[in-house]
Each structure stands twice: as C-alpha cells, then as structure tokens.
Amino acid sequence: MGTAPATHSLTAPTVNALADGLNKGEFVPFYQPLWDVQRQCWEGVEMLVRWQHPTEGLIQPDTFIPVAEQSGLILELGAFVLRAACQQMMHWRQQGLPEGIIAVNVSALQIHQPDFVEDLARILRDTGLTAPALELELTETLALEDTPILIENLHRCQALGIRLSIDDFGTGSSSLARLQCCPVTRLKIDKTFVTHMTTEPKDRAITDSIITLGHNLNLSIVAEGVETATQQQLLEKLGCDVLQGYRLARPADAKTTEALWPDHSV
C-alpha cells in the first residue's frame, strides 16, 4: 500500500495565491482505491486534489476549496480535475490495467453552469474515456436540490452514461421522494457513521438502514473512512458493496496507485 506524503494545514489562502497556484500547476491529483466486496478486487479509484505549495508543503482541500468556491476559481480547478481524471484513467487503460471507474467530486457552482454537460462531453471526447468509466460525486444537499438547471444537468449526465453518486450520505436532510427521483446509482455513507459503528449501536443502526434503503432503491452502497479490520468485517456482514479508506489504501499519486492496483489482496 502507498503512503501519502505529509500534509499540512494553514490559514485560508488568498484568492490571488490560489489563482497563482492554479496558473503554476501546483495542484496535483491523488487517488484512493475503491474495494469491491463481492468481487474482492479494486473497482476503481476516487480522485482527490492536493495543493503542492512551494513553501507550505502538501495542503489538504478543506483549506483551499472554500476559497475556491467563494471566489469562483472552483470552476477552473474543477475543470482541471475532471480532465486530469479522465486522462489518467484512459492512460491506465492503455497500460493494460483492469478497467475500472474514476470518481470525481463536483461542486454546486460547477454543475449549475448551463454548459457543464457540454464541457464534460468534450473532455470525454478529447481523452477517449467512455462515459460509464466516470462517476460524479455530489453532496447530499446538492444532489437532492430541487432546481431546474441541476435536475436537467443530472439527467443529461445520466443520458450520456455518466455515473452519479451522493457523497457523505446521512448527514443532510434527505427527502425520500427526491432520492427516488434523483438519477443517482450510488450512495456513499458518511465516514462519521463508519468511524463509530463498531462501538455505538445507533451509528451501526444508521449504517445498516442506509445499506438496506439503498439496496431497496437498487443503489450501490460505498462506505467511506474504513480504517480497521473490524469495521471492514462488519460492513461486509451488513452487505455494503464497496469500501474506501485507510484500511484498504491511503490516497497516493498515480505511480503508487498504478503499482497497487493489480494487487487484489487486502
């Protein structure tokens, strides 16, 4: 398993510093594998972005993403992430790695853009990646938002064959009616429930309920933040489909991930 470099937090960067970092190519992709429980192999990866700051080291997204969203720079950063993800997955396919999916987080500002789907389709054409190999992750609040442009863009993504998932599920205020109508194929259980599920009966019950609800709606279920063998065993017992977390692999660069992918043992 790969070990990610040390990361650092700092005070929120200025908009100018963030723009400068984008212009200089300081934002780098990392990848965390997704473990398919039934097939006992990697299903794919989630792409995560880090800021390789020249003096502060590797900066986590919770430091710079809020500034990017507030300033609108999330559009430029998000476009970079989507293109880099598709290019990397296509490269892995050309290298003969097992075919899999690549999941990417998208922001509210991105997916509310009228030309979002056209830009996404262009990236797929340019890179040669097939649409079903790409999964877009949305927050629970965003995915279930009832706005015309969001609903239209989600259904257009679905029509292209792109997968859609709800990230951090269980922390928002979901409407079951909206969930039934939303064109998602997957729910990702928030890691706070996974962290405490082996010691807190309520967290275990919530996790079990989300898995049951998702399966009843024909949705695949991913558990985030799996860090121990006990958590892994319990999630497998409850019928969770896909696992993600330090227990399986830490986020790593492309080279480390590529070396890890063919190793199907955990």
Side-chain angles (χ1 to χ4, degrees):
M1 295 184 185
T3 301
T7 57
H8 305 277
S9 296
L10 76 169
T11 56
T14 64
V15 174
N16 287 341
L18 192 63
D20 190 50
L22 277 166
N23 291 333
K24 292 180 177 178
E26 294 173 356
F27 290 85
V28 294
F30 275 66
Y31 307 88
Q32 187 168 35
L34 304 167
W35 178 255
D36 186 313
V37 173
Q38 184 174 4
R39 295 191 299 136
Q40 290 291 289
C41 64
W42 297 128
E43 178 200 62
V45 297
E46 178 180 355
M47 181 175 166
L48 309 164
V49 66
R50 304 286 187 260
W51 184 359
Q52 187 63 66
H53 196 278
T55 59
E56 298 291 340
L58 201 63
I59 301 174
Q60 294 283 4
D62 57 358
T63 301
F64 61 82
I65 289 296
V67 178
E69 290 179 334
Q70 293 163 12
S71 65
L73 286 171
I74 193 67
L75 295 177
E76 183 179 347
L77 179 59
F80 157 74
V81 168
L82 282 168
R83 183 169 291 275
C86 293
Q87 288 174 334
Q88 185 61 62
M89 182 54 73
M90 195 61 192
H91 171 74
W92 279 332
R93 287 190 170 188
Q94 292 168 345
Q95 295 299 308
L97 268 69
E99 290 197 4
I101 65 168
I102 188 158
V104 178
N105 286 277
V106 292
S107 71
L109 186 58
Q110 280 178 276
I111 205 162
H112 278 90
Q113 297 301 304
D115 56 357
F116 174 75
V117 181
E118 285 79 6
D119 290 345
L120 194 52
R122 186 179 305 111
I123 290 172
L124 291 171
R125 287 195 304 270
D126 291 347
T127 60
L129 188 68
T130 57
L134 178 63
E135 178 172 290
L136 303 182
E137 295 187 1
L138 305 92
T139 63
E140 183 177 1
T141 302
L142 173 60
L144 303 179
E145 188 178 298
D146 191 14
T147 56
I149 184 63
L150 174 68
I151 295 170
E152 179 184 354
N153 280 347
L154 290 180
H155 282 282
R156 291 178 66 196
C157 285
Q158 181 193 42
L160 284 176
I162 296 168
R163 303 166 186 249
L164 300 169
S165 69
I166 299 180
D167 198 14
D168 302 328
F169 188 79
T171 58
S173 52
S174 296
S175 160
L176 294 183
R178 284 289 303 126
L179 181 59
Q180 187 177 19
C181 297
C182 187
V184 297
T185 57
R186 171 170 288 178
L187 303 178
K188 298 189 73 173
I189 303 172
D190 186 75
K191 63 183 179 182
T192 55
F193 301 119
V194 175
T195 298
H196 302 293
M197 64 180 294
T198 57
T199 57
E200 297 292 336
K202 288 185 178 179
D203 287 300
R204 173 173 175 161
I206 291 171
T207 301
D208 190 12
S209 297
I210 293 173
I211 293 171
T212 301
L213 171 66
H215 287 166
N216 286 340
L217 294 174
N218 295 316
L219 302 177
S220 170
I221 306 297
V222 181
E224 300 182 278
V226 183
E227 297 187 352
T228 69
T230 304
Q231 291 169 350
Q232 178 181 354
Q233 291 163 4
L234 181 54
L235 287 162
E236 291 177 350
K237 181 180 178 181
L238 294 176
C240 191
D241 302 296
V242 178
L243 307 180
Q244 179 182 0
Y246 285 7
R247 162 66 183 161
L248 294 311
R250 291 175 177 267
D253 59 25
K255 184 177 180 180
T256 303
T257 303
E258 183 175 330
L260 173 67
W261 199 323
D263 180 6
H264 294 296
S265 61
V266 174

